[in-house]
Amino acid sequence: MTLRVTMFAIVFAVAIIFFLWSCWQRFSLVTLGRADNRFDRIGLRFVNMLLYAFGQKRVVSGKYPFGWNHFIFFWCFLILLISNTEFLLHGLFPEVIALSYLPQGLYYALALIFDIVSIVALVAVIVAISRRLWFAPKYIDAKTVDAFVILGLVGILMLAFFSLHGSDIALGNEQAAAYMPVSSFVGMLFSGIMPATLETMKLVFWWIHAFALLGFLCYLPYSKHMHILTSIPNCFFKSIDKVNTQTPEVFQKENVYGAGRVDRMRWKDLFDSYSCTECGRCTDNCPAASTGKDLKPRLVIHDIKVNLLHNGGLIRKGKEPQLPLIGGGREGSVKEDTIWACTTCGACMEVCPVFIEHVPKLVYMRRDLVEMQAKFPDELLSLFENLENRSNPWGIIPAERGRWVAEVQAPAFEKGKTEYLFYTGCAGSLDTRNKRNTAAIARILNAAGVSWGTFGKDEKCCGDSARRLGNEYVFDRMARENIKVFNDAGVKKIIVECPHCYNTLKNDYKQFGGDFEVIHHAELISQLIESGRLKLEGKVDAGRLVFHDSCYLGRYNGVFDQPRKLIEMATGKAPLEMKKNRELSFCCGAGGGRMWMEETEGTRINMARVNQAMESDPDTICVCCPYCVTMMEDGLTDIKAPEKVKVIELSELVEKALK
Amino acid sequence: MQIVTCIKQVPDTTQVKIDPVKGTLIREGVPSIINPFDAHALEEGLRLKDRYGFKVTAISMGPPSAEVTLRNAVAVGVDNVILLSDRAFGGADTLATSMVLATAIRKLNEEEEVALVLCGKQTIDGDTAQVGPGIATRLGFQQLTSVDRIEELDLKNKRITVRCKFEERYEILNSCFPAMIAVLREINRPRYPTVPMRLMAQDYKVTVWDNKIMQMNENEIGLKGSATAVRRIFSPDRAKGQILGGDEVQDPEDAARMLINKLVSKNLISLQ
C-alpha cells in the first residue's frame, strides 16, 4: 500500500462520513412533517420516475430550450457516475479495480464514452455559465455563488480528467489512447514536457480530480444541488392525481390547524423544499409574480427549506422554533402578503420539472393565519361571516338565490324523478351578469330534453373560497352539510356552471365521502351534441373570438377540448388562442378567494390577462367560468378596451347557436 | 374589576317578513345572529381586557336558544357568560328588559366590582336604543352614549374618557366608574374566532339565571313589568322602485346623468 493510497483512503473516509452525516442531518428532518401516504401504486410511481426524472420530460418542455442543457448534464452525470466510481475505487484499491482490467473491447468502449461524455459535459458547463453571466432570464437568480461553485467544480472535474489522462497519454502509459480523442489532444499539447514533470503533473491532476469530486459530494447537501439527491425520489413521490385539492383536517380539541410551523407541513412538502433546483419556472408562470406581487413561488419553497434547516434541530429536541415560518422579515420566513397573494391557479405546479406542490403549502399557511390566529385581510371578515351565516359570499339574503328561476322555465329537483341536479353556484344564482349564463344553460338543457332540476333558494354555497382561503373549519361544515343534502335528496349527477363549484364538488367532496358524478356544462353540452340530442347551427357571428381557459376547469381538471369544439360548432370556426393557453393558461385573478380581496400591490392580474387577449385583436372573449366573466369584463373596462369587445360565457354562445 | 357586555340574539332582520294578517314578525326559519352593534360592544370589552386585564362577562336575556350567541362570545374570548332566561321574563319591553339586566349586573357586582357596562347603541330588531340608557338609569351608572372611540382609561383613578359622535360634532367626555357605554359600529372591527376557541366554546356550559335565582318581583318583569305594548307592526305602502337603465347602460357617466335628471325632475336636488 503506497502512501498515496493511504492518504486517499483517509481523505475518502472523511469526505464520505461528512457527506453521510450531512445527508442524515437534513433528511431526518423530513420525518418531522405530517403523515402523507406516497407509497401507494408503486408501479405507476416507478413509471413517473422513469418518465420525469430519467426522461426529464418536464425539464425539456418546449417553452424552456435550456432544459436540454440540463438533460445533457443529467445524462452526462449518470454516465460519469460509473467513471467516477471507478476513479474512487481505483484510488482505494489500485491493484484490484481499474478500467484497464476489463476485457479490452469493453475497456476501449468505456474509455471512448467517458472521453466524449466529459467534453460534452464541459461544453454544457460553459453554456450554463455563459447563460448565467450574459443572457439569464429574469425569473432565475442567475449570479449566485452556489451556482458558480457547482459549475466551477464540474468544470474543474472535467479539466482534471482530461489533464490526468492527457499526462498519461503523453507518458505513453494509456493503452486506450486511440479511443480517447480529447485526452489525446491534451496529451499532444503535453508532448514536449519531461517525463518526470509529467509524472508530477499526473499526480497533481489526480489529486485535483479527487478533491473536486469529493468536494462536490460534500457540497451537495448544503446547496440547491441537493436536488441531485432528491429530485429523482421526488418524481417517484409525486402526487398521482392532479394537485387540485388540499388535505382535510380533523377538528377535535387539542389539535393544531394549518402550518404555522414548518413541522406542520406534510413530510412531502419538506422533501419538496429539498428538491427545488431554483430554476424559477414557477415564478415565471405565476400571475401574482408577473404582476408585481410579493409572491415568488420559488422563494416560498426556498424559505420553507431554510426554515426547516434553521428550526428542525430545535423541533426535534422538542423546543420551540426560533425562526417563524410566517411573518417574513428575513430569509426562511414567508410574509403574510405573500401567502395571501396566491390565486391557487396552479401554474407553478404545472411547470415544475420535479413536481413541487406549491399551492397546498400556501393554503396550509393560510389555515394557520385564519384558524389559529384569526389574522387575515380585513375584507375577508365579511366574506367568512357571509359564507357562514348566509351561505354566499356577498351576504345576500338566501331567499334571493331562487330568483333566477323566474327568468326561465326551471323545474325543482325531485327525488327519484330528476336525473341531474343543476347546481348553479353563488355567482350563477346571485350575480346579475352571471344569471344570464345560468338562464342560458337552463334553456339549453330544456332544448335537449334533459331531466334536470334545481334546489332554488335551498341551494347552498359549495365552500370553494373558504377552503382556498384556509378557512377549512367553515369549509368542512359546508361540505358535510351539502353532501348530506345531496344524499338525502337522492342526487347522483350534478351539472355545474362554475369551475370552482366543479372542482369542489368533484374533488374536494370526495374526501368527505361525497360521491357524485359531477359534470361541467361544457362537458354535458358536448355529450348532448355527440348523442344527437342537441344540434347547433354554426352560424353565430362572434367576430374574432379568443378563448380563455379557466384554471379550475382546464389546468385543474383537464377540460380543454370540449369548450373549443363547442365554439367551433357554434361559430363555424376554431377560436383564436392566446399565447398562454391550455395547461399554461394565465389566471384571471379571481381564484383562491382572490375574487373577494383587494388587489393593491403591483398591477392587476385581470388587466394583464385582458391585455394578453387583446393581442389577438378580438371582438369576443369567450370564457366558461362566472369569475372569469366578471374579471375579464372588469379588465376590459379598466384597460379602456374598444366597446366592441365583449365577454361571452360559453353557454350564451351555445344558446345563440341552438337550432 | 370586570366589564359586563350586554348582548342580544336577534333574527337576521333583513330576512324577516311581516305577517300581513297578524301584524307580527315571521321569525320561523329565520337565522339568528348576535345584534351587530353588540358584537362591537363585545369586541371593545375584549380589547379593554387585552389592554388592562379586566374580566369580561357577557350577559343576555332571551330564550334558551340564545345560548348559541353566548357560546359565540366565549369563542372570541369572553371569560364568563350568563343567560338570563325565564318564561316570566318573556314579552318584556325596554323597561322590563333593562330591569332584568340591571338586576343581573347588580348581582355580578357582588361577586366582582363592575367598572363598565358595554352595550350596542341599539338592536336591529327593536331599534329603540333605550335598553343601554335604561340599565344605566336603573343602576345609577354614568351613561355615555354614541361612543365611537375610547380615548383613555385611567385604572388608578377609575376614570374613562370617550368620544361620542353626534350628527355634526364630537364630544369628548370624561367620566368616573361605573359607567354604561353604548357603542357605535365604527368603534372597532370585531375579531374572528380561532378554531380551538370555537371547539372549546362548543362544550362550554352556559350559566343560566332564572327568576328563582334572580328573585325579581313579577310586576317588574316580562309583560307585567312592561310600560309599553306593541299594537301592530306593518310596512308602510311604498311605490315600487325603478331601475334606471339597468344592464343596458354600460357607461357609468350615462347612468349618473340619468339619475341626476331623475332627481332634478322630482325636485329632490337642484343643480343651482
Side-chain angles (χ1 to χ4, degrees):
Chain A
M1 194 140 142
T2 62
L3 180 64
R4 194 184 84 175
V5 172
T6 315
M7 278 172 61
F8 180 66
I10 294 166
V11 171
F12 178 79
V14 168
I16 287 293
I17 289 167
F18 180 75
F19 170 73
L20 291 176
W21 176 80
S22 308
C23 286
W24 185 82
Q25 283 283 307
R26 279 155 158 60
F27 291 124
S28 61
L29 295 181
V30 171
T31 60
L32 293 173
R34 286 193 292 117
D36 184 17
N37 183 15
R38 301 277 178 155
F39 290 93
D40 57 333
R41 295 151 88 183
I42 295 286
L44 192 53
R45 292 188 179 281
F46 265 108
V47 173
N48 285 336
M49 188 174 76
L50 289 176
L51 203 61
Y52 294 104
F54 291 97
Q56 302 264 291
K57 195 173 168 208
R58 272 198 178 176
V59 178
V60 297
S61 93
K63 199 180 164 194
Y64 300 99
F66 265 97
W68 285 105
N69 205 48
H70 187 277
F71 181 89
I72 291 167
F73 259 129
F74 177 81
W75 277 100
C76 289
F77 186 88
L78 280 190
I79 293 166
L80 294 179
L81 201 59
I82 307 168
S83 152
N84 286 313
T85 309
E86 185 268 341
F87 174 87
L88 294 172
L89 292 176
H90 178 70
L92 291 171
F93 314 105
E95 311 301 328
V96 190
I97 296 167
L99 267 192
S100 52
Y101 301 163
L102 290 170
Q104 205 180 46
L106 186 58
Y107 169 37
Y108 291 169
L110 286 176
L112 175 69
I113 292 169
F114 294 156
D115 205 61
I116 299 292
V117 168
S118 295
I119 190 69
V120 172
L122 188 60
V123 171
V125 166
I126 293 164
V127 169
I129 289 177
S130 314
R131 174 184 184 234
R132 283 181 178 271
L133 285 179
W134 298 299
F135 44 98
K138 262 189 265 168
Y139 55 84
I140 66 165
D141 234 353
K143 288 168 189 152
T144 60
V145 176
D146 197 17
F148 289 112
V149 166
I150 280 287
L151 287 172
L153 277 174
V154 177
I156 289 170
L157 203 61
M158 298 308 135
L159 291 173
F161 175 89
F162 292 126
S163 307
L164 169 64
H165 291 287
S167 310
D168 237 3
I169 290 168
L171 281 165
N173 290 345
E174 182 58 70
Q175 299 166 33
Y179 300 95
M180 301 170 78
V182 185
S183 300
S184 295
F185 174 74
V186 176
M188 201 179 74
L189 296 179
F190 291 172
S191 60
I193 301 172
M194 299 286 289
T197 317
L198 279 173
E199 284 292 350
T200 316
M201 278 168 62
K202 190 182 153 188
L203 194 65
V204 170
F205 288 128
W206 192 90
W207 276 106
I208 289 176
H209 191 279
F211 274 107
L213 185 59
L214 294 173
F216 181 84
L217 194 68
C218 291
Y219 183 66
L220 278 191
Y222 295 90
S223 76
K224 68 172 181 130
H225 297 88
M226 184 156 37
H227 81 268
I228 291 176
L229 306 170
T230 49
S231 53
I232 296 173
N234 214 47
C235 289
F236 178 84
F237 292 129
K238 94 176 193 72
S239 175
I240 288 185
D241 301 314
K242 262 261 145 108
V243 183
N244 49 23
T245 180
Q246 293 87 36
T247 45
E249 287 180 325
V250 180
F251 292 101
Q252 60 188 38
K253 276 190 190 160
E254 315 300 324
N255 277 8
V256 186
Y257 312 99
R261 271 169 45 163
V262 73
D263 56 322
R264 296 193 184 126
M265 294 273 178
R266 300 167 303 179
W267 71 264
K268 173 63 168 55
D269 292 317
L270 305 181
F271 200 73
D272 272 354
S273 80
Y274 287 166
S275 309
C276 178
T277 317
E278 300 183 13
C279 71
R281 292 184 191 179
C282 49
T283 300
D284 185 33
N285 285 277
C286 175
S290 24
T291 53
K293 314 289 187 289
D294 200 53
L295 170 61
K296 311 274 181 289
R298 176 177 80 75
L299 291 180
V300 172
I301 304 305
H302 176 76
D303 283 334
I304 291 172
K305 174 177 167 178
V306 171
N307 194 284
L308 179 63
L309 295 175
H310 191 98
N311 292 327
L314 290 168
I315 293 171
R316 195 160 41 191
K317 286 180 201 148
K319 290 185 188 159
E320 274 299 303
Q322 283 174 341
L323 177 63
L325 178 63
I326 300 172
R330 56 170 286 195
E331 197 184 9
S333 189
V334 187
K335 272 202 232 163
E336 285 177 33
D337 284 350
T338 304
I339 294 168
W340 292 116
C342 176
T343 68
T344 70
C345 78
C348 47
M349 303 191 288
E350 192 66 38
V351 293
C352 179
V354 295
F355 295 88
I356 289 171
E357 295 160 22
H358 310 70
V359 174
K361 294 174 183 55
L362 288 160
V363 171
Y364 300 149
M365 287 191 275
R366 285 179 176 185
R367 284 183 187 173
D368 174 73
L369 288 168
V370 174
E371 298 187 317
M372 298 301 292
Q373 304 190 48
K375 213 170 160 198
F376 41 77
D378 282 359
E379 58 270 27
L380 292 183
L381 181 67
S382 58
L383 173 78
F384 289 154
E385 287 179 349
N386 291 337
L387 289 177
E388 219 172 329
N389 297 331
R390 294 183 168 185
S391 206
N392 71 72
W394 297 279
I396 298 172
I397 306 164
E400 294 283 313
R401 214 174 172 110
R403 285 282 183 88
W404 71 270
V405 171
E407 295 163 30
V408 57
Q409 204 193 334
F413 185 88
E414 284 180 81
K415 188 174 183 173
K417 287 187 187 162
T418 315
E419 185 184 0
Y420 284 101
L421 168 70
F422 178 22
Y423 183 87
T424 48
C426 298
S429 39
L430 292 165
D431 179 62
T432 312
R433 166 64 182 88
N434 283 301
K435 278 197 247 179
R436 301 213 305 250
N437 328 330
T438 314
I441 296 170
R443 283 189 283 261
I444 295 167
L445 296 175
N446 286 339
V450 174
S451 159
W452 68 282
T454 78
F455 282 161
K457 67 176 171 45
D458 295 325
E459 184 185 285
K460 296 243 155 62
C461 172
C462 70
D464 163 72
S465 291
R467 181 164 238 204
R468 289 347 132 194
L469 286 166
N471 202 335
E472 183 70 9
Y473 181 77
V474 166
F475 171 75
D476 189 282
R477 296 206 305 194
M478 294 170 94
R480 289 179 201 280
E481 190 185 342
N482 274 329
I483 291 167
K484 188 173 182 308
V485 170
F486 292 165
N487 284 334
D488 289 351
V491 173
K492 300 269 186 298
K493 299 178 178 180
I494 307 173
I495 306 164
V496 289
E497 171 180 346
C498 171
H500 293 264
C501 302
Y502 179 68
N503 189 61
T504 302
L505 265 53
K506 189 175 177 173
N507 301 318
D508 292 319
Y509 281 14
K510 256 189 213 147
Q511 301 169 337
F512 298 85
D515 186 18
F516 311 105
E517 190 187 316
V518 185
I519 189 164
H520 185 262
H521 64 76
E523 293 174 293
L524 180 69
I525 296 169
S526 302
Q527 285 179 11
L528 292 172
I529 291 170
E530 267 169 39
S531 61
R533 289 170 74 180
L534 203 62
K535 287 207 162 50
L536 298 190
E537 246 175 340
K539 286 182 183 159
V540 180
D541 180 17
R544 291 173 62 79
L545 181 148
V546 66
F547 181 67
H548 161 78
D549 284 285
S550 142
C551 308
Y552 273 58
L553 190 64
R555 195 154 43 221
Y556 268 53
N557 290 293
V559 181
F560 296 113
D561 296 329
Q562 294 92 325
R564 288 176 167 79
K565 269 191 210 148
L566 289 178
I567 291 168
E568 195 168 344
M569 280 189 246
T571 63
K573 46 190 179 199
L576 301 168
E577 295 287 354
M578 290 191 233
K579 268 188 210 141
K580 296 184 180 206
N581 63 52
R582 300 179 73 98
E583 284 88 349
L584 295 180
S585 176
F586 190 88
C587 181
C588 71
R594 293 286 329 173
M595 179 78 182
W596 321 109
M597 297 170 73
E598 299 296 336
E599 192 177 349
T600 46
E601 216 187 338
T603 52
R604 299 180 72 93
I605 295 176
N606 63 334
M607 286 167 73
R609 186 53 168 168
V610 169
N611 279 322
Q612 292 167 17
M614 294 305 287
E615 283 171 17
S616 51
D617 184 28
D619 301 298
T620 308
I621 302 173
C622 183
V623 299
C624 35
C625 168
Y627 287 177
C628 296
V629 169
T630 305
M631 294 311 258
M632 299 303 267
E633 284 192 345
D634 288 357
L636 283 175
T637 312
D638 290 343
I639 66 159
K640 299 196 165 53
E643 289 223 347
K644 61 154 194 168
V645 190
K646 300 279 181 236
V647 176
I648 194 166
E649 215 278 349
L650 183 67
S651 56
E652 297 177 286
L653 188 74
V654 171
E655 192 199 357
K656 282 187 189 173
L658 284 182
K659 262 191 179 168
Chain B
M1 270 194 289
Q2 66 174 324
I3 290 176
V4 178
T5 62
C6 304
I7 61 179
K8 185 184 183 187
Q9 186 185 49
V10 295
D12 190 346
T13 47
T14 45
Q15 301 189 48
V16 171
K17 293 215 165 65
I18 296 167
D19 187 324
V21 184
K22 291 188 201 156
T24 53
L25 300 177
I26 308 171
R27 296 194 181 205
E28 277 159 29
V30 177
S32 294
I33 54 171
I34 180 173
N35 174 42
F37 287 89
D38 299 349
H40 295 270
L42 195 63
E43 173 63 28
E44 205 53 33
L46 292 169
R47 288 184 185 199
L48 293 174
K49 171 190 169 179
D50 293 344
R51 204 159 157 205
Y52 301 100
F54 288 103
K55 173 185 174 185
V56 178
T57 302
I59 61 173
S60 180
M61 186 182 98
S65 60
E67 209 184 80
V68 180
T69 304
L70 287 170
R71 262 184 223 293
N72 291 343
V74 172
V76 285
V78 165
D79 302 292
N80 183 24
V81 292
I82 293 158
L83 175 64
L84 313 171
S85 187
D86 195 306
R87 281 191 164 271
F89 297 156
D93 70 350
T94 57
L95 175 69
T97 303
S98 61
M99 278 292 205
V100 172
L101 291 168
T103 307
I105 294 165
R106 218 173 273 131
K107 239 174 108 57
L108 286 166
N109 193 53
E110 287 165 16
E111 292 167 14
E112 186 172 346
E113 185 188 341
V114 174
L116 299 168
V117 173
L118 294 174
C119 299
K121 181 192 164 206
Q122 68 199 67
T123 58
I124 56 166
D125 58 347
D127 279 322
T128 64
Q130 289 172 355
V131 172
I135 293 168
T137 309
R138 311 278 103 75
L139 291 170
F141 282 18
Q142 301 302 316
Q143 51 174 296
L144 308 165
T145 54
S146 285
V147 171
D148 79 338
R149 192 152 90 189
I150 291 183
E151 301 275 349
E152 222 182 313
L153 190 136
D154 181 352
L155 215 49
K156 212 174 90 199
N157 297 311
K158 298 189 177 181
R159 296 196 72 87
I160 188 163
T161 310
V162 299
R163 187 174 80 172
C164 307
K165 186 184 172 192
F166 297 106
E167 230 164 67
E168 288 190 338
R169 66 179 194 284
Y170 287 115
E171 285 179 10
I172 309 288
L173 300 180
N174 179 278
S175 154
C176 61
F177 288 176
M180 188 288 305
I181 301 174
V183 305
L184 301 180
R185 297 179 74 166
E186 299 92 301
I187 192 164
N188 57 37
R189 173 179 171 264
R191 66 193 62 188
Y192 193 71
T194 64
V195 173
M197 288 292 277
R198 280 192 199 229
L199 296 178
M200 187 272 284
Q202 272 178 7
D203 304 332
Y204 188 90
K205 194 153 174 15
V206 174
T207 311
V208 182
W209 285 358
D210 57 12
N211 206 27
K212 275 187 210 130
I213 295 170
M214 301 275 281
Q215 298 279 330
M216 291 181 70
N217 184 329
E218 42 177 74
N219 292 324
E220 286 182 340
I221 56 175
L223 265 178
K224 273 193 190 170
S226 296
T228 58
V230 177
R231 282 178 62 183
R232 190 162 79 96
I233 299 173
F234 63 99
S235 305
D237 292 329
R238 205 166 51 176
K240 213 167 180 265
Q242 186 192 348
I243 294 171
L244 292 178
D247 281 349
E248 289 82 57
V249 183
Q250 292 287 340
D251 187 359
E253 279 177 34
D254 250 11
R257 199 169 296 119
M258 284 171 79
L259 177 64
I260 288 168
N261 288 340
K262 190 89 187 169
L263 293 174
V264 171
S265 75
K266 297 260 175 196
N267 243 341
L268 289 166
I269 58 166
S270 148
L271 296 180
Q272 289 308 308

